Amino acid sequence: MLNSIRLVALSISMLLITVVQAQPKGLTLCYEDQDYTPYLRPLKFPPPNDEVGFRGVLPDMAMLAAQELEMQINFLVLPWKRCIEYVRQGKADGMFAAVWKSEREAWGRYPKDNDVIDKTKRLWSVDYYVYTYPESGLKWDGTSFSGVRSGIDAPLGYVTYDKLNTLGVLSEHNNLPDKGFQLLSLKRLDGYVLEKLTADNLINRQKLTDQISVLPSAFHSDELYLPFSYQWFDANPMQAGLFWDALARIRENNVEQLIDYYRE
């Protein structure tokens, strides 16, 4: 297993990939500028030609797909909502990773089969859990919360953030995961909703194992996709389909290895 992981990493490292601040030639994909290990992980020692220094499961999947299809690929690393605007305006050709919602079709083209979202073309399936502190009294029964006092937080713009808002339990102030988990450890926030692997890594990295607990039932489960801009998809429908197909093969053959490789 270790040898195969190294082979995947070595194969990816041989690609010529650039992180850019303006749209160049080739396929340009945008992703969020946050540490969501193992999906997005800042490099400790970025190479000289990589100003941002991010790798992880999702960038590596895109790079492997581009390698398979002999496509040039470039990355934009921006805040989540700015990525969405870049895709909407055609400044980025696509972005990852985004959960499908019908309203998101206003700015991005998701993989579909007969006008129905094609889950076989997903990047990965994820579970989001509610994290709290052991003495909080917060409970989630799969439908509603109880024991809410100061509110529950999630990354801004995420489906989980909107769901918390609909349930009327969203905290007054929004925080990125690192700050949100610090507030949990200080008992200044009732809960924070985050994807499980990302949360596990964050808890270990911040050494909060004894200060953070997780509610037993998942708050939300969904699929992650790579939506393309309508501008790029309309000009390159065949390439888009081939790229989604390549990502599906990589998900089946390589993602478990990549998760093990990037997990801290």
Side-chain angles (χ1 to χ4, degrees):
M1 174 63 76
L2 182 58
N3 288 335
S4 59
I5 292 172
R6 286 173 175 166
L7 284 174
V8 171
L10 178 61
S11 174
I12 294 170
S13 68
M14 293 173 65
L15 292 173
L16 178 60
I17 306 296
T18 56
V19 176
V20 295
Q21 301 304 320
Q23 182 173 352
K25 295 179 180 179
L27 178 64
T28 301
L29 300 178
C30 192
Y31 61 86
E32 192 173 1
D33 58 349
Q34 296 297 321
D35 183 348
Y36 291 134
T37 301
Y39 304 106
L40 297 173
R41 178 177 174 179
L43 296 176
K44 293 181 180 178
F45 303 103
N49 64 337
D50 188 342
E51 295 179 6
V52 181
F54 275 82
R55 288 290 291 274
V57 173
L58 298 177
D60 283 11
M61 289 182 72
M63 287 189 273
L64 285 170
Q67 182 185 42
E68 179 180 326
L69 300 174
E70 299 183 345
M71 296 174 65
Q72 179 185 350
I73 188 170
N74 303 276
F75 291 135
L76 291 164
V77 186
L78 300 169
W80 173 253
K81 287 198 168 184
R82 197 170 171 200
C83 272
I84 290 175
E85 285 307 307
Y86 267 52
V87 172
R88 187 196 306 274
Q89 297 168 19
K91 293 181 180 179
D93 301 320
M95 67 177 290
F96 55 82
V99 168
W100 176 83
K101 293 176 66 177
S102 58
E103 53 265 39
R104 290 184 173 179
E105 292 189 8
W107 54 261
R109 179 59 160 82
Y110 285 76
K112 287 192 169 184
D113 182 15
N114 294 323
D115 292 327
V116 177
I117 192 73
D118 188 352
K119 293 186 177 182
T120 68
K121 302 301 190 297
R122 69 191 183 279
L123 289 168
W124 196 237
S125 298
V126 290
D127 296 312
Y128 297 86
Y129 282 81
V130 182
Y131 294 83
T132 185
Y133 55 92
E135 308 86 3
S136 71
L138 183 67
K139 294 182 179 179
W140 164 250
D141 64 7
T143 304
S144 61
F145 285 98
S146 60
V148 179
R149 295 179 297 174
S150 57
I152 306 168
D153 203 0
L156 181 66
Y158 278 34
V159 168
T160 49
Y161 180 93
D162 296 337
K163 186 173 178 178
L164 290 171
N165 191 33
T166 299
L167 290 169
V169 296
L170 195 62
S171 61
E172 183 177 354
H173 302 289
N174 181 247
N175 302 278
L176 290 170
D178 276 32
K179 180 65 178 297
F181 275 64
Q182 290 173 15
L183 292 175
L184 285 181
S185 69
L186 297 172
K187 304 179 183 180
R188 293 169 54 189
L189 187 67
D190 290 324
Y192 199 99
V193 177
L194 197 60
E195 190 276 331
K196 187 180 186 303
L197 294 181
T198 303
D200 289 345
N201 171 77
L202 193 158
I203 290 169
N204 290 333
R205 175 161 46 84
Q206 292 192 358
K207 297 179 173 55
L208 297 175
T209 304
D210 296 331
Q211 298 163 271
I212 301 292
S213 61
V214 58
L215 300 189
S217 299
F219 176 69
H220 186 79
S221 298
D222 224 319
E223 288 75 40
L224 301 176
Y225 296 94
L226 190 159
F228 288 111
S229 71
Y230 282 104
Q231 295 91 327
W232 193 85
F233 180 87
D234 290 343
N236 306 278
M238 182 176 295
Q239 290 92 328
L242 291 173
F243 203 87
W244 282 325
D245 288 343
L247 289 173
R249 287 190 294 273
I250 292 162
R251 183 193 71 238
E252 293 298 323
N253 298 325
N254 303 110
V255 168
E256 292 286 358
Q257 296 173 359
L258 289 171
I259 287 175
D260 288 340
Y261 181 77
Y262 282 108
R263 195 195 308 264
E264 290 186 346

